Amino acid sequence: MAVIRPFKSIRPISELASKVAALPYDVMNSEEARKMTKGNPHSFLHIDRAEIDLDPSIDVHDKKVYEKARDNLNKMLDDGDYIQDINPCLYIYRQIMDGRSQTGIVFCASIDDYLKGVIKKHEFTRKDKEEDRINHVDYCDANTGPIFLTYNEDQLASEIIEAWIENESKRKPLYNFVSEDGITHIVWAIDNDIIIDEIIDLFKEIDCLYIADGHHRAASAVKVGLKRRKENPNYTGKEEFNYFLAVAFPDNDLMVMDYNRVVRDLNGLTKYELFEKLEDKFYISDAPTTEPFKPYKKHMFGMYLEHRWYVLEAKKETFNEEDPILSLDVSILQENILHPILGIEDVRTSDRIDFIGGIRGLKELERRANTDMKIAFSMYPTEVRDIMRVADIGEVMPPKSTWFEPKLRSGLFIHKLK
């Protein structure tokens, strides 16, 4: 049973929404954030990456950065850039990318659901990244970026949810704008208590929610909630710090893009020695055209080497279809090429490999392989149900397995912890 509840969102005034909305803090570095916010004092990155308003030499984990984030948030509130809804609401958040839409419900999720495993994870988190967001949430006294959740649409009376969404989306939206990357963002408020209660009851019928993106934000929000509980031993469980900001989309709405690999060298092998080793585990053929090869089914890979594309198809002995992890294409590549042939034991720490999200296109693989790298692999995208299978057995996905698009924008919803 998943527990969700409405909240009084702090959100930008309508005329500033497009200027406030920003990509998640962790998809860019400080230098990129400074460039992205040039000439835009309203960008939410002034809160999410507040170091951009301080001297470039500052440590991004310095206390002054979190204080600046808090001060910037308070200033935007004082200046009237933000308002707070009077009554608790749920919200509908629709994104349209290349004619394809995904529509989610914005709510507050329970930290207890996270602790009990009702909200399931599929990634490890790093302590330093957790500490950064813990401090950010604690100083701002708010969840400033929504956690991207999904659910198995087959488990929910989705036709009822869809009917409510269809009904509510006929009303005038709070926001309707196109961001700089061409993605449309539309937001409606659900302020009818009858509809809110109906949606809350529907979510009680599903077994679990899955984190699609935002593992560090989720872990940090939960740890801040536990910290507040310790500071308030007489807490009732109804306080806002017992909940965190989230958006849940049905799994059938989501698109996972390919997450491709480029490697710096051939680990001392010649091209012919490489092919000889590959033939043990893969069927190899020339790509049908000179254009970048995009795999069109599972267990198929594109390989770019010395200005030519090849097609690799994994032989049956390279994977176990019954194993949620070993059946993944990222596992097949790692266990049969990257580690045993190219000598990359740990993709998390090796400086000989890099990862390129599908949003950047396969021409970027060619560019990298022709400049600072040697060989590139194009991947078939991981499917959402694959992520669920791994999370259901309490395991984690291999590193750099998923690239969700479009990215949720931060700044459209803020959940205060008091």
Side-chain angles (χ1 to χ4, degrees), residues 34 51-52 54-62 64-65:
R34 290 176 191 273
E51 73 271 13
I52 66 176
L54 300 170
D55 190 278
S57 65
I58 195 167
D59 184 336
V60 295
H61 300 125
D62 192 293
K64 293 178 182 177
V65 175

Side-chain angles (χ1 to χ4, degrees), residues 9-262:
S9 180
I10 292 174
R11 53 185 182 79
I13 58 175
S14 58
E15 54 265 41
L16 288 182
S18 62
K19 294 182 178 180
V20 167
L23 287 166
Y25 75 97
D26 53 356
V27 302
M28 82 284 289
N29 59 34
S30 293
E31 182 180 354
E32 290 168 332
R34 290 176 191 273
K35 292 178 181 177
M36 293 169 71
T37 56
K38 191 174 182 180
N40 182 9
H42 303 290
S43 172
F44 197 70
L45 290 176
H46 291 285
I47 295 169
D48 247 2
R49 297 210 68 126
E51 73 271 13
I52 66 176
D53 293 329
L54 300 170
D55 190 278
S57 65
I58 195 167
D59 184 336
V60 295
H61 300 125
D62 192 293
K63 177 182 176 182
K64 293 178 182 177
V65 175
Y66 307 113
E67 291 174 336
K68 188 63 175 176
R70 177 197 61 205
D71 293 345
N72 284 348
L73 175 57
N74 290 337
K75 184 178 186 303
M76 287 186 177
L77 287 166
D78 292 341
D79 289 348
D81 293 353
Y82 279 89
I83 58 174
Q84 183 170 24
D85 287 320
I86 297 173
N87 299 311
C89 299
L90 299 176
Y91 302 86
I92 300 169
Y93 183 15
R94 176 171 295 160
Q95 296 176 295
I96 304 172
M97 176 181 173
D98 298 331
R100 184 190 146 274
S101 69
Q102 60 184 36
T103 305
I105 303 291
V106 184
F107 53 76
C108 279
S110 165
I111 68 171
D112 290 308
D113 277 0
Y114 181 95
L115 295 168
K116 292 185 294 186
V118 175
I119 296 175
K120 296 188 175 183
K121 303 164 282 187
H122 69 263
E123 285 184 9
F124 287 124
T125 55
R126 284 171 41 185
K127 185 176 180 181
D128 60 332
K129 288 190 173 184
E130 279 191 28
E131 285 295 331
D132 170 57
R133 287 299 104 176
I134 288 171
N135 287 328
H136 193 274
V137 172
D138 213 14
Y139 274 80
C140 291
D141 193 36
N143 304 135
T144 57
I147 313 307
F148 187 169
L149 302 177
T150 188
Y151 56 88
N152 186 333
E153 192 171 18
D154 296 339
Q155 287 191 359
L156 192 67
S158 55
E159 68 280 358
I160 300 177
I161 291 282
E162 289 171 3
W164 284 129
I165 289 175
E166 179 65 24
N167 181 66
E168 291 300 297
S169 62
K170 293 176 182 177
R171 301 167 62 190
K172 182 181 179 180
L174 299 176
Y175 313 124
N176 186 349
F177 64 91
V178 179
S179 52
E180 67 285 347
D181 53 2
I183 296 169
T184 299
H185 304 264
I186 312 175
V187 173
W188 296 269
I190 303 177
D191 53 10
N192 183 308
D193 289 340
I194 295 174
I195 300 175
I196 290 173
D197 289 343
E198 179 80 17
I199 293 174
I200 289 172
D201 288 341
L202 286 172
F203 271 87
K204 290 178 182 177
E205 296 177 8
I206 64 175
D207 295 334
C208 59
L209 295 164
Y210 299 85
I211 299 176
D213 201 8
H215 283 77
H216 287 93
R217 276 171 281 149
S220 302
V222 170
K223 288 184 178 179
V224 171
L226 294 176
K227 179 175 179 287
R228 297 292 176 90
R229 285 181 175 183
K230 190 174 181 179
E231 294 167 351
N232 299 273
N234 295 320
Y235 74 93
T236 66
K238 296 181 179 180
E239 298 86 357
E240 293 298 330
F241 58 72
N242 294 288
Y243 298 85
F244 60 90
L245 180 62
V247 187
F249 296 86
D251 61 332
N252 292 336
D253 264 16
L254 301 185
M255 178 175 70
V256 186
M257 297 190 77
D258 41 308
Y259 212 161
N260 304 303
R261 277 85 166 123
V262 288

